Amino acid sequence: MVETLSDGQATAPHGADVASPSRQSRSGSAVATRAERGDTVLRLDAVDKRYPGVHAIKGVSLAVREGQIHALVGQNGAGKSTLVGIAAGSVSADSGTVEIDGEVTDSPTPGWCREKGLAIVYQEPALLPDLTVAENMRLGMPAHARPSIADQVGWAEKILAQWSSVVSIDPRTPVRELRPDARFVVEIARALAEEPKVIVLDEPTEHLLPPAVAELFELISEHTANGGAVVYISHRLNEVKQIADTVSVLRDGALVGTFDAADVTEQDVVNLVVGRELDRQFTRTSGDGRALGEDLFAVSDFSGKRFEDIGLTVRAGEIVGFAGVEGQGQRDVIRALGGLGGHRGSVRVGDRRVDPSSPSAALKGGISYLTHDRHVEGVLGGLSLRENASLSALRRIATAGVVSRMRERKLTSDSFQAMHVKAPSSEVDIATLSGGNQQKVVLSRVLLTDSDVILADEPTQGVDIGAREEIYGILRSAAAEGKAIVVLSSSAAELEQLCDRVLVFSRGHIARELVGDDVNEHAIAQAALSATDQREKAESGAGRVSFWHRMSRSDLTPGAILAIATIILGIVAATQSDTYLTSRNFSLVLPLLATLAFFAIAQQVVMMIGGIDLSVGPLAGLLVVVASFILSGYRTPIGMVLGVVVLVVVAAVVGAINWSLITLVRINPLIATLVTFTALQGIALLLRPLPAGKIDPFFLSYVSGTWGFIPVMAVVAIVVAVGLEFCLFRTTFGIKLRATGSAVKTADRNGVRTKWIALCAYAGCSVLVVPAAILLMVQSGTGNASIGDSYTLASIGAAVLGGASIFGGRGSFVGALLGAVLVTQINTVVQFLGLPLYWQQWLLGGLTILAAAFYSKTRTLTERK
């Protein structure tokens, strides 16, 4: 929200003194430099884009000149993010051209735009959650500017050092563990490190703390002083007026006009944005005639991590604000009250006691929480607007557990109309909406619960000027209906406009309460700063971490646990049988281990991109059948090699078919590979209805060779697992493989050819089945169509035991190998202990469930920390 003082001067963003002495000196030289430049570095010509039911961009032409900060403003849904997405190559225009530094194209790609000199910071950071900070920063750089993988951590440390005064980030930290403000710092730091001709910043300050905003503005000034250009998108017009040279206004997908920033006032821009005169003066909410009732929300002796002995009451119809320098406990308190943090103490809503031990428990007790992190905790991607909004209000629209669709549509449509949500219909995927409209839908969900208490954490984050006024009105209306409302905001001006009282936090305590005339922007900002002796560095949750913390989040940790479990089972078996630790036993077990190891490694490849290949078992059976034809006689060495080549080609074709069904036809991986499973099984049985044919014994003698009692193929399996592990973390392809599984759309934005990576993964998985099939040939000696069927589920179990995520992005080939070791060990030990064979299934199934639950819980706790 942009506020004006009585004399019409703009206030500083977030209450920060952005125009520091260093900032003033740098911007002064920048202005002089800009006057001497004027070459166009980014030009959009007649760009047009339509979505189903929406004309998003209507023939927009725009020119951005070097040495200038070009602001792009407009309401949510006006087309700002779509327009810059077209400029960055992440959105395909229906018509029009993009020109960057003199190079023109009508079909830009993210890679082309990056190489030509355009960098972009999206409203939602284009970071891969399962990659480290350093890996993300390197991946997003142009090819000519990327450091080597070995040097990426030191390189990232130097870049992030510019932000060390406001946030501490360890480059080795997975992005999923960063707080929202730290993620934006990483994205901005990466973009500036490219030294681009033009950098696009889409709402860059929404999640930044005041010191980081000041640092960003200084770096922007340095960039333009050196001849770069900036496209700056923001709803905060005070920021726009503070730093911009030129302002372009979009409304309903069309360009209203481009103006010299010095020639328009904030009020002029507001009127252009909304298309009408909008009175931006406001009166204090305590004077709007609302009658305050009895105490409705009471908290006492409330303590938890980063806060202690919190006591407060909120009356019915009252709006109470939480303020303070970030990190002083106010956000921890409001999240704990909403069921998202550990706590102890008393919470009462009316005359009933509530234990907000979880969001559902808080909601059941009459407390509804609006999150500040819309992207991670608010929006349910893949669901419609209607489903997103009604999810928490199902009790209002269901009878005996059956949802009334008519009542649901009535409630949600009325809410969307009141919130002025811009969308083709309530049935579209919420992911297709602009950030501000997503925020309105999330707020609708909170209001539809009809809770007595509403906890609003940064309620207007990422919404436009008009929408902020609408949200203010909605919160006031909710208060007028007798609800108790708590608002946490980093904007003192917002708290002034909304709140009857403001509680200022410092070091986990309520340091001061402001009431009456003291509830004003100046007093709130002064109280927040004076209540804290020293403005502390923002905690990102991503500073230097301990060795044990690093181990707990390592993808190799599950493998280490499996190794320990394997050793323990071995000790048990050795104490019960003298024949367990003999070369004869190992010579029988190790070939079985090698076979399962290749299957598990193959499965791990596709699991890295979030897939599962159910066809690996029947594929192995088909390969054994094919080998019974092409390797049936006494072959020459060349003939044997050609036969293996044929097997590899057959496997690669099967992998390509799987990829086509999944990526091109867009069938779910489970269904697609289940179809392939059935087809391969049918073909193999058609060729060999019964086991028949004889595979060349000389060929089998080559592949079944041993070093003592250790099979050569077991050594090969270990070498393959270690080699792929190295590639996964130390090669560009491995990082792109993990990126594709971590977040495919974000990987696309970073220039990763995700379809090509997926093709390599599915083809690679099938090719890795070839050595497993060869080992099965040794076991059968004939063409047996069903010999590999049992390995499909075993391969998945081994990979999951090794720490693989079924959602992609995480896993370890060494872990998959050790998972195969544990599965084989279980089967062996059960026999040595004389237990019934069904114990193999019980132990394997139980351990798989325990492993998945343990790894999931460990990672969840790590991310929360």
Side-chain angles (χ1 to χ4, degrees), residues 363 368 378-380 383-397 408-417 419 421 426 428 430 433 437-450:
L363 190 60
S368 188
V379 170
L380 299 168
L383 298 185
S384 68
L385 276 63
R386 169 182 54 79
E387 293 167 319
N388 267 271
S390 65
L391 183 63
S392 296
L394 294 178
R395 59 183 177 83
R396 296 182 59 191
I397 58 178
E408 180 188 28
R409 286 176 175 162
K410 178 70 168 62
L411 277 175
T412 55
S413 62
D414 288 349
S415 179
F416 295 159
Q417 185 175 2
M419 299 285 288
V421 175
S426 62
V428 300
I430 192 172
L433 268 62
N437 281 301
Q438 290 179 0
Q439 179 75 355
K440 293 180 186 178
V441 174
V442 176
L443 179 57
S444 294
R445 180 197 304 157
V446 171
L447 295 174
L448 287 176
T449 62
D450 198 27

Side-chain angles (χ1 to χ4, degrees), residues 132-185:
T132 66
V133 169
E135 288 171 335
N136 268 279
M137 294 179 68
R138 179 187 178 277
L139 186 64
M141 296 294 288
H144 68 273
R146 287 177 186 163
S148 67
I149 294 177
D151 297 333
Q152 66 185 6
V153 172
W155 167 80
E157 283 179 335
K158 292 179 181 177
I159 294 172
L160 294 171
Q162 297 180 81
W163 300 84
S164 60
S165 62
V166 294
V167 65
S168 175
I169 302 173
D170 185 343
R172 295 167 294 182
T173 302
V175 163
R176 64 179 178 265
E177 297 182 17
L178 298 182
R179 283 173 39 155
D181 58 310
R183 292 201 297 266
F184 274 85
V185 166

Side-chain angles (χ1 to χ4, degrees), residues 18-34 67 69 162 165 192 213-226:
V18 177
S20 63
S22 60
R23 156 83 176 126
Q24 290 172 344
S25 63
R26 296 183 192 185
S27 62
S29 63
V31 170
T33 306
R34 291 172 199 160
I69 299 175
Q162 297 180 81
S165 62
L192 289 169
V213 174
E215 182 64 29
L216 171 63
F217 285 4
E218 290 187 5
L219 292 172
I220 287 175
S221 291
E222 288 181 354
H223 181 68
T224 53
N226 293 327

Side-chain angles (χ1 to χ4, degrees), residues 845-859:
L847 284 175
T848 303
I849 293 173
L850 287 174
F854 175 76
Y855 302 152
S856 175
K857 187 65 174 178
T858 300
R859 284 166 175 160

Side-chain angles (χ1 to χ4, degrees), residues 118 241 270 317 370 472 509 682 815 846:
L118 184 142
K241 284 291 293 178
V270 170
L370 173 67
Y472 292 163
H509 294 82

